[in-house]
Amino acid sequence: MARNTQFILEVLQENGMVSEEQVNEAWEKVAQSGGKLDVIDALKELKHVDGNELLNLLAQQYGLEVVDLSNHVIDPDVVQTMTPEMVRQYKVIPIYKHENIITVATSDPSDLETIDAIRYILKKDIEAVVASKEQIDHLTDHYYGSLEQNVDSFMKEIGAEGDIESQLAKATEGAENVEDDAPIIKLVSLLIVEAIKLRASDIHLEPMEKKYRVRYRIDGVLKEMESPPKYLQSNITSRLKIMAKLDISEKRVPQDGRIQLKVEGKEIDLRVSTIPTTHGESIVMRILDRASIQIDIPKLGFFSDDQELINQIVALPDGVFLVTGPTGSGKSTSLYAFLSSINSPHRKIITVEDPVEYQLSGINQVQVIATIGMTFAKALRAMLRQAPNIIMVGEIRDLETAEIAINAALTGHLVFSTLHTNDAPGAVTRLIDMGIKPFLVASAVRAVMAQRLVRRVCKNCAAPYEPEADLLQLMGLDQEFVKNSKLMKGRGCAECGGSGYKGRMGIYEIFMVTTEIQNLIYERVPSSVIRDAARKSGMRTLREDGLRKAAAGMTTIEEVLSSTMMDEE
């Protein structure tokens, strides 16, 4: 949309802010720029017009309010009312929302067509206020991503100038048209650097019918970023496949690869996964920072009583300890933390993983390679001949692997592994359903821990709050809970990107196999019966653990509800 230049010039001259000679000088500057400047910007550059004075004058002419957005925080719900494409196309930003009215800030109140267009697209009442272009651009970059910024500035900020570009360029050595694709390499490096800067765990490149969508997963929540032009989709896909050493000619089947980079002295692995979709190949890159996994058990989010219980479990001489939960719930992180806590020179620890996500010092790690027959079961058999004290199996996927893990536990090894079940007691019935005899499960399994990840309240903008009555009723809570709690909620700030959350923590359900539970397993009772018995013996459910962390101000009741809704009956 174009600004009403002639009207603005008339207003400036009528108010004596510019002379005719100054306007002519500005037009000459416009001509010299080859049309890159308009006359209003030229007047500002020549310092004939003060930007703030012009803003106030135009706002007065159109009866609009001037707002200062220098410290403004936009609510996440308001951010979602407009897409990044709309915000950048129309050069406005939504700042408030009340019922059916959305307030947007514009730096050009003369552009009435923009307000009408937004009103038509959103089917909402639009109220306009005026703010400086610089403030609107700053908030746009902060809340909607900043892919238009120069990659070099990002490199300087993280102390890795040119590093990623050179590494990505090197990864394409031997490919055709590398020089022609230099801008693509630069764009890919920008995508990666910004994701690292924003603490993203995944980069999603998704081909839509009319656009190439880019999303980052930050603290478990997907956030849409500025999208590259649709016509660059095939170029970006080809470059990434070359870098990940994938077959660039094969577009019909899923492929997996890896890109290794060094950023700010840290080793970064990108696990690349492609899958064919209707409008092209969708790519997901999982960002693995090898240094970030060096974590202590207390940092996982355990309270002292649960931490003491975990310390007792990992100190056992033998048995199976399972960690359960859906993909992305932090199971691998927990297992690595447990192994690190018991890693010492007098213990031999071997892991078999698919893939080896992080390298742990002092621990023997084996990579599963199914294409050459190196399966979990085969690797596990070989590991037992290495006389280990402790074994970690990345995941129990089939009966053969489960049997070897159980037998290893029964012959004096401590075995860590993961399993996909909704809750901790469900792991017992899952093993039996896979074909393991109940008496073997009862004898070998020592404990099971189910976990989920919830977002932490941002410490920088945390403030006390009182949840709505409907939410308390839904969670089965009363005012007594609120009175005895220190409930906190982030108001949204620059530190957390306006979300009110920064980082994630675990909530846990630790199930100990007692003598009573063993008897129930022998009898092959349903999982619900085992769960009831475990709760009577002191097991705290995922929701209960989440609520006590919400009560301590570490997370919110809403987060606990969204993470455990399917875990409670």
Side-chain angles (χ1 to χ4, degrees), residues 46 82 84 91 285 371 400 424 430 457 521 543 554:
L46 292 166
M82 293 180 69
K91 296 180 174 57
M285 293 184 284
T371 54
E400 187 179 11
R430 172 73 178 129
V457 172
I521 296 172
R543 179 166 290 183
M554 301 165 74

Side-chain angles (χ1 to χ4, degrees), residues 271-298:
R271 273 176 52 192
V272 182
S273 171
T274 73
I275 188 170
T277 66
T278 307
H279 302 292
E281 289 179 278
S282 174
I283 297 178
V284 175
M285 293 184 284
R286 187 174 181 189
I287 301 171
L288 303 174
D289 179 357
R290 295 179 188 174
S292 68
I293 201 65
Q294 306 300 326
I295 191 169
D296 297 326
I297 291 178

Side-chain angles (χ1 to χ4, degrees), residues 198-200 218-221 299-300 453-459 495-497 499-506 554-556 559:
L198 295 174
R199 302 177 293 105
I218 304 170
D219 292 335
V221 178
K299 294 181 182 177
L300 294 176
L453 292 177
V454 294
R455 291 183 290 175
R456 289 181 183 268
V457 172
C458 175
K459 294 180 181 178
E495 285 285 319
C496 60
S499 68
Y501 299 97
K502 187 175 181 182
R504 290 190 290 176
M505 65 184 297
M554 301 165 74
T555 186
T556 62
E559 275 293 291

Side-chain angles (χ1 to χ4, degrees), residues 196-481:
I196 293 169
K197 183 182 177 185
L198 295 174
R199 302 177 293 105
S201 60
D202 306 289
I203 302 172
H204 295 251
L205 305 173
E206 302 162 316
M208 305 284 114
E209 183 180 3
K210 296 182 179 179
K211 71 174 185 177
Y212 192 42
R213 184 168 69 178
V214 175
R215 294 192 290 176
Y216 294 161
R217 190 180 297 279
I218 304 170
D219 292 335
V221 178
L222 283 170
K223 179 181 178 182
E224 187 163 349
M225 313 304 290
E226 176 77 0
S227 299
K230 174 71 174 175
Y231 66 83
L232 292 179
Q233 174 182 318
S234 60
N235 301 70
I236 293 172
T237 300
S238 297
R239 265 318 105 188
L240 285 171
K241 290 177 75 172
I242 291 171
M243 295 167 190
K245 296 178 174 57
L246 303 179
D247 184 353
I248 193 172
S249 63
E250 182 55 79
K251 301 178 181 179
R252 301 163 299 171
V253 296
Q255 296 186 66
D256 294 296
R258 175 170 287 193
I259 301 172
Q260 294 182 319
L261 302 169
K262 196 168 187 178
V263 181
E264 207 177 11
K266 295 190 295 186
E267 297 288 340
I268 302 292
D269 279 0
L270 298 174
R271 273 176 52 192
V272 182
S273 171
T274 73
I275 188 170
T277 66
T278 307
H279 302 292
E281 289 179 278
S282 174
I283 297 178
V284 175
M285 293 184 284
R286 187 174 181 189
I287 301 171
L288 303 174
D289 179 357
R290 295 179 188 174
S292 68
I293 201 65
Q294 306 300 326
I295 191 169
D296 297 326
I297 291 178
K299 294 181 182 177
L300 294 176
F302 289 106
F303 276 152
S304 57
D305 53 351
D306 281 346
Q307 186 177 328
E308 186 178 340
L309 198 55
I310 290 295
N311 288 338
Q312 292 174 13
I313 294 170
V314 299
L316 291 170
D318 55 37
V320 175
F321 177 31
L322 296 171
V323 179
T324 75
T327 302
S329 61
K331 300 188 297 295
S332 295
T333 301
S334 294
L335 285 177
Y336 283 132
F338 299 154
L339 290 177
S340 296
S341 71
I342 55 177
N343 184 17
S344 64
H346 66 273
R347 286 193 179 101
K348 185 176 179 68
I349 303 175
I350 306 181
T351 74
V352 53
E353 307 169 59
D354 182 23
V356 175
E357 293 186 356
Y358 301 96
Q359 294 177 0
L360 300 176
S361 178
I363 294 178
N364 301 278
Q365 295 174 271
V366 179
Q367 169 76 52
V368 168
I369 309 175
T371 54
I372 61 171
M374 184 63 163
T375 61
F376 274 110
K378 189 169 184 177
L380 197 46
R381 281 197 193 92
M383 285 162 56
L384 291 175
R385 292 193 289 271
Q386 296 278 316
N389 301 106
I390 298 162
I391 296 168
M392 194 269 271
V393 183
E395 183 183 349
I396 294 178
R397 298 178 178 175
D398 51 45
L399 175 59
E400 187 179 11
T401 306
E403 285 178 334
I404 299 170
I406 292 288
N407 289 328
L410 293 174
T411 53
H413 301 88
L414 180 59
V415 180
F416 294 89
S417 191
T418 67
L419 201 62
H420 286 281
T421 60
N422 288 331
D423 61 4
V428 168
T429 50
R430 172 73 178 129
L431 288 173
I432 294 173
D433 290 342
M434 289 174 73
I436 304 296
K437 302 294 183 184
F439 75 90
L440 291 175
V441 175
S443 302
V445 177
R446 297 285 183 265
V448 183
M449 183 181 81
Q451 70 176 72
R452 300 290 187 277
L453 292 177
V454 294
R455 291 183 290 175
R456 289 181 183 268
V457 172
C458 175
K459 294 180 181 178
N460 190 56
C461 62
Y465 87 109
E466 188 167 330
E468 296 179 0
D470 291 347
L471 179 62
L472 291 174
Q473 185 177 359
L474 184 62
M475 297 292 284
L477 303 173
D478 54 24
Q479 286 300 322
E480 192 66 24
F481 172 83

Side-chain angles (χ1 to χ4, degrees), residues 1-4 62 90 106 108-116:
M1 301 291 178
R3 59 166 49 142
N4 192 338
Y62 287 91
Y90 294 111
T106 176
D108 182 15
S110 70
D111 188 4
L112 301 178
E113 291 179 23
T114 288
I115 305 302
D116 290 336

